Structures are given as C-alpha cells and as structure tokens.
Amino acid sequence: MKILIEGAYYPITTLQNIFDDPKFYTQNGLEGKIISVGYYHSFEKNELVYMLPKVFMTDDINSVFGKTKDELLDLDSIKNIKHDLQYNWIRQSSLYFYNSLLEYRKRITDSQIVNKTERFELNTNLGDQEYSYLDLLLSFVNFYKKNKNHILYKHIEYNSNQAKKPKWEKTIRKSLPILTSNNLPIYVSIRNKKKTVNKEEELLTYFFSILENFNQDHNLNLRIDKSFKIIKGNSFKNLQANGLTKLKKIKYRYFNDTLKRMYALCEIYFTQTDKSSSKKKREDFLSVNNYNLVFEDMIDKLFSDELNNTEVNNVSLKDLKKNDDGKIIDHIYDYKSLIDTSNIFYIGDSKYYKSNSEAGNLSKYKQFTYAKNVIQFNIDLLNKDKNKPYKTGIRYRDELTEGYNITPNFFIYGYIENEENFDEHLIEKKKDLPVKSFHYKDRLFDRDTLFVHQYKINFLFVLKAYTNFNTIKTQKFREEVKRDFRKHFIDFFNDSKSCEFEFYKCKSTSLKDYESIVSNNFKSLNGKCYVNMETELILAKHIENGIEESIMKEFELITELK
C-alpha cells in the first residue's frame, strides 16, 4: 500500500511508476504535484494507492503525524506494520476515506447535490454496479469474518457424512471430535480406506485461496483454518488466469445461500483476473479533483441534510441554498433566535484547507453576501404575503421598529490533532471574537450588521460519521452543535467589551407606548431597537455612541441574554 498526499510533490519517475495515467498529478520539471484525492489500484502491479486530502498534512514540510511523505510512500517496506499501533490510523482512515468517496458518488448520483458543471469532477472507471479491487478485498474479508464458523462447521459436517467404511477405533484413538449443541460428536478427520470427492470442496478451495492471497498481499493478519485446501504460488497465478472457466463448470452444484454468495464473490474476482475475460481492467480508480465539494457535503450531511426536502408555501430550502445571484450556500438550518423564541437561519461555510489554516478576506466577504441574500429572500416572501414567512416561527424583520433580527453565521474548518480519534467531534472556536461587518457600527438590528464565528471540527470524526452514523446519532450531533453555536453567540453578546453593545428592555409593555417612543425618536433609534416575539422592545446601545438620556429613561438594563 502507498499513501500520497494532495498538494505534495514527488519525483516524477516515482509517480510514473505508480500510475498508468498522469491525470492524478501535474508535472513541474523533475517533480510532480498530486492534484487528486482518492483511491487507485493497478492490477498489473497489484498495488493499492491512496491519495489522502491535504487536511492530513499538519505542517508545511509535508509530514503527517510525524511521518514524512517518503515514509508513507512505501508502507509495505515497514516491518510489522500490521501489528504496529502507531500505524493504526492508516488502516482506519483509509477505509473510512474510501467509503466517503463511495457515499459522495452515491449522493451526487441520487440527488444532484452539486452544480451540474461540478458533478463530473468525480473521476472513475467503475460503473454503478461494478466492484473495485478494494471492494472485493473488503467483501471477501467481511464475508469470511461473518460466516467463518458456519462455513467451517458445514465443511467438517460434510466430510463426516461423506466418509465411507470408517475405521472408528482408529478415528476415535487418533483425533478429537467437535461437539454439536446436542452433544453429538463430529470428527474432523475420519480414518477410512476409501474417500469420496467433496463437491463443495472445490468452491471452498477457490474462495480460501483468494482470501489467503489477499491476506498475504495486504498484511490482513487473518487466521484461516488449516483444514481448508489452499492454492498458492504459481498454481494460484494459473487459477487467476483461467479461474472463471473452472468456476462455471461447478456453478449448478450449490443451493445453500452462503455457498451461493461465496460463488458470486469468486465469480467477480475471476472476472477481473481471468485472461480470457473481456471485462478485465488494467486499473480501477475513484478520485476527485475538487475535494472541497466532498468536504462540503460531509459537513452538510451532518448539519442540515434533513432539511433538503423541506418545502413550505411552495418554497424549499434549496431555494435558499441557491441564491439568485448564482452563489450557493454550503450549509443552512433554522434554529432558535438569539433574542427571543422565534427561529432564524444559521448560515455556514465549510473551509477545506490544511490543518490550522484560516479563511482569507475573500471568503469572509462571500459569507456576508450569503447572509444578506438569505435575509433578502425572507423579506421578499414577507413582502408578497405578510402572513406567510418561509416557515412558521421564522422572523427576520419587525414592522414597528423596522429593525432586523440578528443573523448568526459561521465558518467551519476540518483539522486533525489526534490520528486515533474518530469518535469525538472536538468542535472548538478558532478565535474568541467573530469576524464582523457593518455599515453603521452602532446599529446592531440592521441588515448590514453581521457576525461570523469560526470553528474547527475533527476531520476524522466527520469522515467516519459521513458513512457510519445512523439518523439517531446524526440528530444527536445536530442538537448538541446547534445548541452550542447559539450559546457561543449569546455569550459573545453578553460580553459588552467584546460585542461593544449593551442591551436594554423598555419598561413599558404596551405596543402603543412602543410606537410612540420609536416614532418620536426614529432617527436616534433606527437600527438600534427591535420588538421580539415576546412583545418586548429591545434596545442595543453601542458603548461608544450614546443615546439621549431622555430616551434611555424609558429602558432598563438587561443583565444577561438567556
């Protein structure tokens, strides 16, 4: 097995020896740069190659968890790698990574989750119903682990039943039986003069010969019972060359479901190795040049996938994700507002970089544009019909004050700190203070005043969750993260030094009084106040810009947002 890292440089001769096709790298002089992320297998070289995402790279010297890119280039040369715990992350992450590519392939086929022009960035020579070499390897191993006791039992039972003219005295004296659930003895080896041919033995021989070949080639550390006959060496190469023909001769012998599935696996394997087969491939691969699209979908499935089909008043969430100006929002979900019991859309953008990297000014500007588009979308709906927002409970603008609800935004980055941790999301803020944008810095309840928190999430957790999480686990994650994101925003606004605002509530509770206060002081209060769902008039006063004392007499300080 070889591991290459996206964006890393390798000698061009090395890459030419690995790949039959240069589409996975670009040449620059005597070096080549890996531009794809994915899986590759050459049948002629019988070699598995992974091109892992650059997020695995922990620094600028092309090292991954203390291992140089050259060490990862030829893992088979490392002694006892299959037993060495420091390389366990390779075995785990490689499998989850491959499954994530399969999941992405399935999702873009089923739902067209990305732009049509971007769909074809996923490159493969495998049809929808075809197995890759790695698929076969995993299928053989999983089938064996799941059925090995049943297969062995049937194998021994069949041998016992087929024995003719047994010499029981010698059998009992020379061997030990296996006891059934009814305490009946079954002898693995029966002493007799004449033995019949086991018609099932031929299929078992093929299956376990293939499994043992996988075992030796990829250090799988499988323990195969010695009672099975194994074909090895040159004899196995000959079997690969004409195995499909031999297999077809015994096709109609098997009626047991387990044996039929075993036959199907052998048939797929020999179809790819049989020299007479027209379906034989020189290589198989599954790769993507824009891995940011895969990362985006992994995060979206975790955060907001259940909303993809939500439709209210003939408007779906897809209408919110795909803006009229052509921009597509990565992640969007509705959750509790920061200042009342209404809901508001939380808008996120996933950032695919090396670990510990951060978004630039262009990304920040784009995020503010996304937020403004969502605000405008909801306002347009209200303008069409004031009684029909996108969804009941969603509230963006207060008609009395003409103030806008606060729209929470976030960036989320993938990172890896512990190569063995696949089970904790480890979400944390990259910085205490969010990125902010405003037209008037003293107007919090203004559509142009926006804040973006930045978070990082354990990439290995995302990788595993993408294919392994069920609906219950995913929902539990969403509830926890949404609650935490809201709390982080509220904690920020409760710190007047950080957010630069203090919050006040009108002493009066009458809408008529609110209307009088707002209309009489509209210029002073424009963009600074908002009537929430609890019919409270909230004032956000900037700590540097005062408001007339006569107005402030109508309000009392809110010590803490809840």
Side-chain angles (χ1 to χ4, degrees), residues 355-368:
S355 289
N356 302 319
S357 297
E358 189 174 306
N361 290 331
L362 179 60
S363 294
K364 295 170 184 176
Y365 175 79
K366 285 168 60 179
Q367 183 63 21
F368 294 131

Side-chain angles (χ1 to χ4, degrees), residues 226-275:
K226 294 181 179 179
S227 66
F228 295 109
K229 181 182 176 181
I230 305 294
I231 301 173
K232 298 181 180 179
N234 289 330
S235 297
F236 182 76
K237 290 182 180 179
N238 292 332
L239 178 65
Q240 287 179 308
N242 53 26
L244 195 59
T245 302
K246 289 186 175 184
L247 198 65
K248 287 179 179 179
K249 292 179 181 180
I250 61 173
K251 182 175 183 178
Y252 299 105
R253 293 181 184 177
Y254 310 109
F255 302 97
N256 178 281
D257 286 343
T258 302
L259 293 177
K260 287 167 72 176
R261 290 197 299 272
M262 184 185 292
Y263 180 94
L265 286 174
C266 292
E267 184 178 36
I268 296 170
Y269 177 83
F270 286 133
T271 298
Q272 294 191 351
T273 61
D274 196 307
K275 289 183 178 179

Side-chain angles (χ1 to χ4, degrees), residues 35-66:
I35 59 172
S36 291
V37 170
Y39 147 87
Y40 175 86
H41 172 258
S42 169
F43 285 96
E44 293 180 4
K45 302 181 182 73
N46 194 24
E47 196 166 63
L48 284 174
V49 180
Y50 292 99
M51 296 161 278
L52 293 185
K54 60 187 176 185
V55 68
F56 279 88
M57 208 176 289
T58 53
D59 50 44
D60 293 328
I61 58 173
N62 294 331
S63 71
V64 178
F65 308 131

Side-chain angles (χ1 to χ4, degrees), residues 4 12-27 32-36 39-42 44-45 49 51 123-125 282-285 287 289:
L4 305 169
I12 194 66
T13 53
T14 299
L15 298 180
Q16 289 172 342
N17 288 332
I18 293 174
F19 300 109
D20 295 331
D21 193 306
K23 59 178 166 284
F24 305 105
Y25 59 89
T26 57
Q27 184 173 352
K33 178 183 177 182
I34 299 297
I35 59 172
S36 291
Y39 147 87
Y40 175 86
H41 172 258
S42 169
E44 293 180 4
K45 302 181 182 73
V49 180
M51 296 161 278
N123 303 312
T124 182
N125 65 343
R282 292 179 58 200
E283 62 182 3
D284 58 58
F285 58 89
S287 69
N289 289 348

Side-chain angles (χ1 to χ4, degrees), residues 61-314:
I61 58 173
N62 294 331
S63 71
V64 178
F65 308 131
K67 304 293 180 292
T68 67
K69 62 177 184 179
D70 294 328
E71 288 177 300
L72 297 174
L73 187 58
D74 193 3
L75 291 169
D76 294 333
S77 65
I78 301 174
K79 294 182 179 179
N80 299 319
I81 184 174
K82 63 184 179 181
H83 302 296
D84 197 333
L85 293 179
Q86 68 171 316
Y87 292 99
N88 189 52
W89 69 270
I90 294 175
R91 293 185 286 272
Q92 281 189 285
S93 59
S94 298
L95 179 57
Y96 289 136
F97 170 66
Y98 176 73
N99 287 337
S100 73
L101 293 175
L102 294 181
E103 175 69 6
Y104 180 72
R105 181 191 186 194
K106 173 179 176 293
R107 282 165 61 81
I108 66 172
T109 301
D110 290 349
S111 60
Q112 298 184 8
I113 56 175
V114 293
N115 282 343
K116 290 183 179 180
T117 55
E118 294 173 329
R119 284 189 65 199
F120 302 101
E121 292 296 335
L122 189 69
N123 303 312
T124 182
N125 65 343
L126 296 168
D128 291 340
Q129 304 301 320
E130 286 187 295
Y131 275 75
S132 71
Y133 177 84
L134 185 59
D135 288 328
L136 272 174
L137 188 157
L138 296 174
S139 297
F140 267 84
V141 172
N142 291 336
F143 180 86
Y144 170 67
K145 289 181 177 180
K146 184 178 180 181
N147 298 285
K148 62 180 179 180
N149 292 332
H150 174 72
I151 295 171
L152 181 60
Y153 176 82
K154 289 294 183 182
H155 172 62
I156 296 171
E157 181 183 49
Y158 191 91
N159 284 344
S160 299
N161 292 336
Q162 291 297 311
K164 290 186 176 182
K165 296 183 180 180
K167 291 187 176 182
W168 288 113
E169 291 182 0
K170 193 173 183 179
T171 298
I172 294 171
R173 189 173 66 251
K174 294 283 187 177
S175 59
L176 293 174
I178 293 176
L179 296 179
T180 68
S181 58
N182 298 324
N183 290 322
L184 295 176
I186 296 178
Y187 285 88
V188 177
S189 178
I190 298 176
R191 306 286 174 160
N192 63 346
K193 289 185 178 180
K194 186 178 180 180
K195 295 183 178 179
T196 60
V197 176
N198 183 354
K199 293 181 179 179
E200 292 185 357
E201 189 71 29
E202 198 169 351
L203 177 61
L204 295 177
T205 297
Y206 295 158
F207 177 85
F208 283 104
S209 297
I210 296 169
L211 186 66
E212 177 61 19
N213 187 64
F214 281 139
N215 194 26
Q216 294 301 319
D217 284 349
H218 304 291
N219 299 313
L220 302 179
N221 200 28
L222 297 175
R223 295 182 180 179
I224 300 175
D225 193 276
K226 294 181 179 179
S227 66
F228 295 109
K229 181 182 176 181
I230 305 294
I231 301 173
K232 298 181 180 179
N234 289 330
S235 297
F236 182 76
K237 290 182 180 179
N238 292 332
L239 178 65
Q240 287 179 308
N242 53 26
L244 195 59
T245 302
K246 289 186 175 184
L247 198 65
K248 287 179 179 179
K249 292 179 181 180
I250 61 173
K251 182 175 183 178
Y252 299 105
R253 293 181 184 177
Y254 310 109
F255 302 97
N256 178 281
D257 286 343
T258 302
L259 293 177
K260 287 167 72 176
R261 290 197 299 272
M262 184 185 292
Y263 180 94
L265 286 174
C266 292
E267 184 178 36
I268 296 170
Y269 177 83
F270 286 133
T271 298
Q272 294 191 351
T273 61
D274 196 307
K275 289 183 178 179
S276 63
S277 174
S278 61
K279 297 181 180 179
K280 183 181 178 183
K281 285 189 171 77
R282 292 179 58 200
E283 62 182 3
D284 58 58
F285 58 89
L286 184 66
S287 69
V288 61
N289 289 348
N290 288 23
Y291 192 73
N292 60 296
L293 298 177
V294 184
F295 180 65
E296 172 190 321
D297 190 53
M298 289 195 292
I299 295 293
D300 204 44
K301 186 178 179 183
L302 267 178
F303 278 80
S304 56
D305 190 56
E306 87 284 3
L307 293 175
N308 277 347
N309 296 319
T310 300
E311 185 170 305
V312 182
N313 298 327
N314 297 319

Side-chain angles (χ1 to χ4, degrees), residues 328-525:
I328 300 177
I329 296 172
D330 285 0
H331 320 294
I332 184 169
Y333 62 85
D334 66 291
Y335 193 61
K336 299 175 185 176
S337 169
L338 305 181
I339 55 172
D340 59 16
T341 57
S342 70
N343 275 22
I344 200 78
F345 282 110
Y346 288 63
I347 305 164
D349 194 17
S350 51
K351 294 300 175 188
Y352 173 63
Y353 303 125
K354 290 181 182 180
S355 289
N356 302 319
S357 297
E358 189 174 306
N361 290 331
L362 179 60
S363 294
K364 295 170 184 176
Y365 175 79
K366 285 168 60 179
Q367 183 63 21
F368 294 131
T369 303
Y370 295 153
K372 291 175 183 178
N373 285 345
V374 171
I375 293 170
Q376 186 60 51
F377 183 93
N378 283 274
I379 298 305
D380 287 345
L381 288 180
L382 288 175
N383 290 337
K384 290 178 183 178
D385 189 335
K386 292 186 178 181
N387 295 321
K388 287 187 177 181
Y390 167 76
K391 186 177 179 182
T392 303
I394 297 284
R395 192 160 184 264
Y396 267 85
R397 186 177 67 192
D398 164 40
E399 294 297 327
L400 192 151
T401 64
E402 298 183 11
Y404 288 81
N405 203 343
I406 303 171
T407 298
N409 297 266
F410 63 91
F411 288 140
I412 188 157
Y413 309 78
Y415 79 109
I416 304 174
E417 285 187 354
N418 181 355
E419 64 268 29
E420 297 179 0
N421 192 343
F422 291 79
D423 299 311
E424 296 178 285
H425 61 69
L426 302 178
I427 291 179
E428 59 180 73
K429 286 194 294 182
K430 287 178 72 73
K431 293 184 176 180
D432 290 333
L433 296 180
V435 180
K436 60 182 179 180
S437 173
F438 54 83
H439 190 73
Y440 299 98
K441 71 175 183 179
D442 60 341
R443 296 183 184 180
L444 178 62
F445 298 117
D446 184 273
R447 62 183 300 163
D448 292 317
T449 301
L450 299 165
F451 300 86
V452 185
H453 273 303
Q454 302 189 71
Y455 295 92
K456 58 181 184 176
I457 185 171
N458 178 12
F459 178 80
L460 297 180
F461 169 85
V462 176
L463 202 58
K464 181 178 179 179
Y466 190 52
T467 55
N468 284 42
F469 269 24
N470 57 29
T471 303
I472 296 175
K473 276 189 175 182
T474 303
Q475 191 59 40
K476 182 180 178 181
F477 167 84
R478 287 174 184 151
E479 290 173 357
E480 178 185 346
V481 171
K482 290 175 182 180
R483 183 177 62 247
D484 289 347
F485 280 14
R486 180 175 185 266
K487 182 179 182 300
H488 293 157
F489 269 101
I490 289 176
D491 289 344
F492 166 71
F493 284 114
N494 276 328
D495 184 352
S496 58
K497 290 184 179 179
S498 297
C499 74
E500 300 181 336
F501 287 97
E502 293 177 338
F503 290 88
Y504 294 81
K505 180 173 65 173
C506 186
K507 296 175 183 178
S508 173
T509 58
S510 167
L511 284 174
K512 285 188 176 182
D513 290 338
Y514 294 168
E515 189 174 354
S516 175
I517 294 171
V518 172
S519 61
N520 292 336
N521 304 282
F522 185 78
K523 187 172 182 178
S524 297
L525 296 180

